[in-house]
Amino acid sequence: MPLEKYIPQTVLITGATGDFGKAFAQRFAALGSKVILIGRNREKLESLQNELEATTHIAAFDMKDKEGMSEAISNLPEEFKNIDLLINNAGLALGLDPAYKCEIEDWETMIAVNNTALVQMTRLILPVMVANQKGHIINIGSIAGNYYYPGGNVYCASKAFVKQFSMCLRADLTGTKVRVTNIEPGAIKTQFSEVRFKGDKARADAVYDNTNNMTAEDVAEAVTWSACLPPHFNVNRMEIMATVQSFGPLTMERFDEGQEL
Ligand code: 8X3
């Protein structure tokens, strides 16, 4: 399939300085797209901008800052306004404790970034795509939105929200030619676990030790493929996992003889 023909012209990437964001930026820059890089840290954005051989624009704000987001989008230079690919990539997991032990602030942060900011950004960009009858929203979901695991609680719920929102967008966008895709990666070797375990590098490294991990570049492959398909072809959801990752049995509690059930 001649995918080169369908390369998006203007790509906005949130969480651009994270491992996924960088890999996406590198791929679309190499394909010749103009790239809008969004992140919290201006210096990191500038360094990524310098590294990319592409027409880029950077906007530094915290995804939790609704006004900052809205200002950055209204102030986009003219040549970056016609976004035809939005990659809602900013997101995080915090903690892996059982629900009754979690920090409520961690839950609030995950909902604020993974869900609230994602819907705000989508709402800001959608009118341009609908008016142009051209566009694609790629949300970075997770297998965590499809399966349940101990300690997943709010992270898993936030990714289930992303999946449901993505597919409901599809329903609303019927007739607009705007595409929506939820990419659902499993465990990928990135800074993800270091963030989840709040800087505990040993615990984070253990997640990826002695196995054959997928990488951010693999996820970028899935994103780029979905984005460069002909306009009649929409990937609704794409769940991807390392071959070494798979499913475990459901659990069943057992009781000692004589123990109250
Ligand atoms: C990250 C994948 O398996 O750690 O979204 O929940 S997992």
Side-chain angles (χ1 to χ4, degrees), residues 141-144 149 155-156 159 185-188 192 196 245:
S142 168
I143 59 159
Y149 58 80
Y155 178 66
C156 290
K159 291 298 184 177
I188 313 287
F192 175 86
R196 170 172 256 177
Q245 187 175 29

Side-chain angles (χ1 to χ4, degrees), residues 20 92-93 96 140-145 147 149 152 155-156 159 184-188 190 192-193 196 207-208 240-241 245:
F20 279 8
L92 77 170
L96 196 60
I140 303 305
S142 168
I143 59 159
Y147 308 104
Y149 58 80
Y155 178 66
C156 290
K159 291 298 184 177
E184 301 164 3
I188 313 287
T190 60
F192 175 86
S193 292
R196 170 172 256 177
V207 175
Y208 310 112
I240 52 178
M241 271 183 184
Q245 187 175 29

Side-chain angles (χ1 to χ4, degrees), residues 47-60:
S47 125
L48 178 60
Q49 185 175 39
N50 292 335
E51 182 189 309
L52 297 175
E53 284 177 20
T55 309
T56 51
H57 172 75
I58 58 172

Side-chain angles (χ1 to χ4, degrees), residues 124-175:
L124 287 172
I125 305 299
L126 262 181
V128 175
M129 295 185 173
V130 172
N132 289 342
Q133 292 274 296
K134 184 175 187 276
H136 194 167
I137 296 171
I138 298 189
N139 290 329
I140 303 305
S142 168
I143 59 159
N146 304 336
Y147 308 104
Y148 323 105
Y149 58 80
N153 46 68
V154 168
Y155 178 66
C156 290
S158 76
K159 291 298 184 177
F161 176 101
V162 173
K163 173 175 67 177
Q164 197 71 359
F165 180 60
S166 305
M167 293 308 101
C168 287
L169 280 177
R170 284 277 291 131
D172 286 354
L173 290 166
T174 309

